[in-house]
Amino acid sequence: MDKREFLKGSAATAAAMIVNPLTTTQAFAEVTVPRTNWSGNYHYSTNKVFQPATVAEVQDAVRSVPSVRALGTRHCFNDIADSQTAQISTLQLKDISIAPDGRSVTVGAGIRYGDLAGVIDAKGYALHNLASLPHISVGGAIATATHGSGMHNGNLATQVLALEFVAADGTVHTLSRDKDGDSFHGAVVGLGSIGIVTHVTLALQPRFDVTQIVYTDLPFAELEHHLADIMSAGYSVSIFTDWQRGIAGEVWIKRRVDQGGASTPPPRFYNAKLATKKLHPIPDHPAEACTDQLNQPGPWYERLPHFKLNFTPSSGQELQSEFFVPFDRGYEAIRAVEKLRDRITPHLFITELRAIAPDDLWLSMAYQRPSLALHFTWKPETAAVMNLVPQIEAALAPFHARPHWGKVFTMGAAQIQPLYPRIDDFRALTHGFDPKGKFRNHFVHTHVDTA
Ligand SMILES: Cc1cc2nc3c(=O)[nH]c(=O)nc-3n(C[C@H](O)[C@H](O)[C@H](O)COP(=O)(O)OP(=O)(O)OC[C@H]3O[C@@H](n4cnc5c(N)ncnc54)[C@H](O)[C@@H]3O)c2cc1C
């Protein structure tokens, strides 16, 4: 994405109402879906937005246009969800059906994790992990391999057991982990290219409680020999840093109560100090938006995200970038970025470091490698960010860093495609369901499908 694309305005302005092509039917009732992404840094290129509430309505919508992209909760920071022609908002696809054996739940792809979590928790179930925020749709999250943290936790797409989607000709298909092995592994992190995902079946486990504790002022030096130990200190661990003073900063440790997580935490942890008041990852931001800390047990879905559903997550006015490196080279990668600290920090709200377990999903950033993710929550300073991101990409190139598909990056196809050994297979798979490129937009053509 170059600077011009990033700032791209379009016929669609921020205030535009949706012109719904099928307003005559109840199912396609006229609605307002904002014409920018959540951050406001990207204006979508079309005002035509379908709002189907059933799979049949998705089929009708797909058949009615030559080109279209699915749109979830709009939390990506680039043009990945954009279309010149039409979008299909999935937000009315939000049904929930728990399997009788309690091993899985099948949901409409537009449901937000925060709306799903309370329902399954009340029935005694949980998902294995969540992202930093519960505000995102299941379909949108898995399409970009959205992740939380945890040495043994795969990203959210690894929860998927089956996908139902509408292909370019309007037919409905299902791929499952059990029956469709290889093509299933290709389809889950689909970047919106496989079709419009209508239902997702997610693995369940028994519900669990979690405590959250925060340590402050972790010295960077401790990461050299203890990065894996620190990241293993809880079920899910995040380190937040502004890169300055040789201090890695806050360590957020989320501990499962059924794994001893309610025990009294020691006052020191690798020379960091236990926080005695609730904190926000971004200094000076009000902590009330954050999930409870101070070792108070609570349900998994109120501790694994950093932010509460009914509050604005993170800063609200921000850009984000994120790069995934092999975990065993994580410390070197951190030090490579730290060299840029005096350029980075003035434009940064905060960096977060997380661990992600490897998986077999072809376009996952953690594909077949345990990963450390280096995330940047930027101030909304586009020019400065677009200047800095290539410098970070260059610093991380020796580590074969994979950029988060949904965030700000400048790497092109020539750099990205060699990072994904199954990318040719991905192209073949998506072309099978979409021979003419109905679902392939500029983002896909620029990064994945350049042929
Ligand atoms: C404040 C904030 C915090 C974040 N925290 C994290 C984090 O902790 N971890 C992380 O990894 N990411 C994080 N992200 C990024 C976010 O999780 C991803 O960008 C995710 O893809 C957003 O989901 P969405 O529903 O908003 O997708 P959208 O932005 O609406 O769409 C994303 C992509 O998915 C496709 N898509 C959406 N729904 C479907 C569907 N039903 N069928 C087919 N394709 C579909 C779209 O076409 C598009 O290509 C964060 C973003 C924000 C704004």
Side-chain angles (χ1 to χ4, degrees):
M1 187 168 56
D2 67 22
K3 203 180 291 181
R4 260 184 56 239
E5 286 160 16
F6 184 66
L7 292 169
K8 182 165 70 89
S10 72
T13 67
M17 291 287 292
I18 305 312
V19 179
N20 195 309
L22 295 173
T23 49
T24 48
T25 68
Q26 180 71 23
F28 289 86
E30 196 163 339
V31 290
T32 303
V33 176
R35 294 295 69 216
T36 66
N37 63 351
W38 172 87
S39 161
N41 72 293
Y42 191 84
H43 290 230
Y44 299 122
S45 306
T46 180
N47 280 343
K48 186 183 278 192
V49 182
F50 297 95
Q51 279 249 94
T54 64
V55 175
E57 290 167 5
V58 174
Q59 293 178 274
D60 288 347
V62 167
R63 287 189 178 117
S64 72
V65 283
S67 173
V68 68
R69 289 287 281 184
L71 184 66
T73 43
R74 302 178 294 106
H75 279 66
C76 286
F77 291 86
N78 57 33
D79 61 343
I80 190 168
D82 200 16
S83 167
Q84 299 295 319
T85 310
Q87 290 171 316
I88 296 179
S89 167
T90 59
L91 298 187
Q92 291 200 66
L93 301 171
K94 53 186 180 186
D95 48 303
I96 301 172
S97 172
I98 298 174
D101 66 5
R103 291 188 182 163
S104 65
V105 61
T106 298
V107 297
I111 197 165
R112 301 184 306 169
Y113 286 94
D115 296 323
L116 170 64
V119 174
I120 58 175
D121 183 79
K123 302 276 187 196
Y125 302 112
L127 302 175
H128 87 290
N129 208 2
L130 292 167
S132 69
L133 77 176
H135 306 65
I136 51 177
S137 78
V138 170
I142 65 171
T144 64
T146 291
H147 64 100
S149 191
M151 294 291 278
H152 303 292
N153 295 330
N155 65 42
L156 304 192
T158 65
Q159 291 162 354
V160 179
L161 299 177
L163 280 183
E164 175 197 83
F165 60 95
V166 175
D169 63 358
T171 53
V172 178
H173 299 259
T174 302
L175 292 174
S176 76
R177 183 188 295 271
D178 285 347
K179 295 192 187 126
D180 301 290
D182 214 31
S183 40
F184 170 82
H185 289 133
V188 179
V189 181
L191 311 183
S193 293
I194 196 82
I196 309 298
V197 175
T198 43
H199 286 100
V200 184
T201 301
L202 301 170
L204 291 177
Q205 59 175 270
R207 70 166 304 287
F208 55 94
D209 287 320
V210 176
T211 61
Q212 184 163 229
I213 50 176
V214 175
Y215 287 89
T216 61
D217 295 336
L218 176 78
F220 257 128
E222 297 288 351
L223 301 180
E224 180 171 6
H225 299 297
H226 304 298
L227 181 61
D229 298 326
I230 291 168
M231 283 295 184
S232 302
Y235 183 70
S236 166
V237 176
S238 293
I239 299 172
F240 291 97
T241 183
D242 67 2
W243 299 100
Q244 294 295 317
R245 300 171 288 121
I247 298 290
E250 292 177 13
V251 189
W252 289 38
I253 304 177
K254 299 166 194 275
R255 304 187 298 169
R256 280 179 72 135
V257 169
D258 60 5
Q259 296 171 359
S263 61
T264 304
R268 309 283 293 192
F269 173 79
Y270 293 99
N271 284 315
K273 295 184 284 290
L274 185 66
T276 53
K277 64 171 189 177
K278 197 175 161 188
L279 296 172
H280 192 288
I282 305 173
D284 304 328
H285 278 52
E288 64 169 353
C290 296
T291 48
D292 286 348
Q293 302 163 18
L294 304 171
N295 212 31
Q296 291 300 312
W300 57 280
Y301 66 94
E302 292 184 355
R303 295 293 181 278
L304 293 175
H306 305 324
F307 304 107
K308 293 178 176 170
L309 182 61
N310 49 346
F311 284 81
T312 299
S314 195
S315 167
Q317 300 287 315
E318 68 196 57
L319 303 171
Q320 296 185 8
S321 306
E322 191 166 33
F323 300 94
F324 297 68
V325 299
F327 192 89
D328 60 3
R329 301 199 65 194
Y331 179 72
E332 285 175 82
I334 290 168
R335 286 299 194 191
V337 173
E338 195 201 11
K339 289 191 183 124
L340 301 170
R341 63 185 177 278
D342 290 341
R343 294 182 218 169
I344 290 173
T345 307
H347 307 289
L348 185 76
F349 278 128
I350 205 70
T351 276
E352 180 176 11
L353 307 174
R354 287 178 279 186
I356 302 100
D359 60 58
D360 287 319
L361 305 173
W362 296 353
L363 290 200
S364 162
M365 293 81 77
Y367 178 71
Q368 294 194 340
R369 66 185 200 196
S371 298
L372 181 79
L374 295 87
H375 164 92
F376 303 80
T377 301
W378 301 108
K379 294 174 184 171
E381 299 169 358
T382 302
V385 170
M386 296 312 283
N387 182 38
L388 275 165
V389 166
Q391 298 178 51
I392 294 170
E393 290 171 348
L396 292 177
F399 309 101
H400 310 291
R402 295 170 174 155
H404 192 307
W405 294 110
K407 301 187 181 180
V408 174
F409 61 92
T410 69
M411 293 163 69
Q415 290 124 329
I416 289 176
Q417 293 185 7
L419 300 170
Y420 290 94
R422 301 295 301 269
I423 200 150
D424 291 342
D425 297 326
F426 179 79
R427 277 193 292 267
L429 180 71
T430 53
H431 285 229
F433 292 106
D434 181 15
K436 295 185 182 154
K438 182 174 273 195
F439 301 120
R440 295 196 279 283
N441 65 358
H442 179 263
F443 178 95
V444 173
H445 282 303
T446 312
H447 299 100
V448 180
D449 208 321
T450 42

